[in-house]
Amino acid sequence: MAGGIGSRFWPQSREACPKQFINVFEEQSLLQQTLTRMAPIVPPERTLVVTHERYADLTREQLSPIPEENILGEPISRNTAPCIAYAAIKLRAMDPEAVMIVLPADHLVKREDRFLNILRKATVVANKPGALVTIGIQPSYPATGYGYIQYDPSESERDGAYRVRTFAEKPNEATAERFLDSGDFLWNSGIFVWRADAILENMQTHLKSTWRAFEEASRHLGTDQEDAAIRQAYYKSTRISIDVGIMERASNVYVVPGRFGWSDIGDWRAVYDLSDKNRHGNVLRGNVIVHDTSRCLVNAGKRLVAVVGIHDVVVVDTDDALLICHQNSTQQVKNVVDYLHAHQHKDFV
């Protein structure tokens, strides 16, 4: 899934080239890292990328190993449920027994060997009739920026999966601390594994309008009517996440817990936390000079950036915009993008 706009990574992430297409940590973009990470168990010809149609060319440019027909362009953004429905009908047409691994394109995984082993376990569980599997992250602190999954420790499968009791939205700090104390809550990674036919059957039960729209579109796959049919399906579908639309309602849901150095890299603070730092706790990229400065992320563009007497700050410089914010305020960068949209400053978004 590669259709987001990454507004919390402004000004480097823009609508023309959002977060998943930029190099946040390494030479590869987050999208390219996702494809590389999956290569040992899923070859490029069996990989689909669902993105907004405006990013189709950029996706092809970055992911040349993937066949062009495997890049699926969304006409409008409708959250994750229609996105997954689109991929599911395509995969079902390729292989009626296909197992889908659903991945966001902008996550970080540091222990890729562990991650792939978790996915292998999840695919075994996903082959059970009607099973829907999600990957849960063992929490290391009471995070308020993640959703949570509560599981039943007494109902475990041989493959390391547990029956899910409930999903919880992002909690406040006190609630997050209670979740950790209880010992049966995991962070919701947004990574899912299921058979394509299983998720479509659940859509038929829980998201009827979306299911009907994409079932109709599936009759036109591989024809010159496919693009028009998919466009109609999106306009007829409910704007809803797969978590709210299906996972919180379905009965046959399992979670496989894991620890593999996962982060959803939600903002610049996450980039700082996950990056190597110098002896003053700074992360410095590009042409940067610092003096009496500590615990800062400074990401320079073409210009020289000098930072003096500042602590716990994020500085991101681009050709036409400069971001300066406190480490604790990086979630609010999205508000800047909302402001720019509201005041018609389209050149900066």
Side-chain angles (χ1 to χ4, degrees), residues 217-277:
S218 70
R219 302 188 184 103
H220 302 282
L221 295 180
T223 74
D224 57 4
Q225 299 297 313
E226 179 175 339
D227 288 348
I230 293 298
R231 185 171 294 275
Q232 284 297 313
Y234 268 85
Y235 280 99
K236 291 178 180 178
S237 295
T238 304
R239 182 191 296 272
I240 194 169
S241 71
I242 200 72
D243 301 76
V244 175
I246 300 294
M247 302 302 281
E248 293 181 5
R249 304 175 184 179
S251 57
N252 205 21
V253 180
Y254 297 88
V255 62
V256 178
R259 274 199 183 98
F260 39 82
W262 171 89
S263 173
D264 70 349
I265 324 176
D267 56 24
W268 286 114
R269 174 61 185 266
V271 174
Y272 173 81
D273 289 341
L274 294 163
S275 298
D276 293 333
K277 302 165 186 66

Side-chain angles (χ1 to χ4, degrees), residues 11 41 77 294 299 338:
I41 61 174
S77 298
S294 63
N299 195 335
D338 292 341

Side-chain angles (χ1 to χ4, degrees), residues 1-4 21 31 45-57 59-60 63 66-76 82-94 100 214 221-222 226-227 230-231 234:
M1 299 183 291
F21 299 105
L31 175 60
E45 63 270 17
R46 294 181 66 87
T47 300
L48 303 183
V49 181
V50 188
T51 187
H52 195 283
E53 58 188 18
R54 72 164 78 97
Y55 304 134
D57 289 342
T59 302
R60 293 187 191 100
L63 301 182
I66 291 185
E68 185 171 339
E69 62 271 18
N70 287 14
I71 297 171
L72 312 182
E74 297 183 285
I76 53 174
C83 161
I84 289 169
Y86 187 7
I89 62 170
K90 294 285 284 190
L91 288 171
R92 186 182 60 183
M94 296 177 188
M100 298 174 63
F214 280 93
L221 295 180
E226 179 175 339
D227 288 348
I230 293 298
R231 185 171 294 275
Y234 268 85

Side-chain angles (χ1 to χ4, degrees), residues 117-128 133 156-162 254-257:
N117 285 336
I118 290 291
L119 291 182
R120 290 186 182 99
K121 291 180 181 180
T123 57
V124 173
V125 180
N127 271 304
K128 300 178 188 295
V133 186
S156 64
E157 298 288 314
R158 188 177 1 176
D159 306 292
Y162 297 85
Y254 297 88
V255 62
V256 178

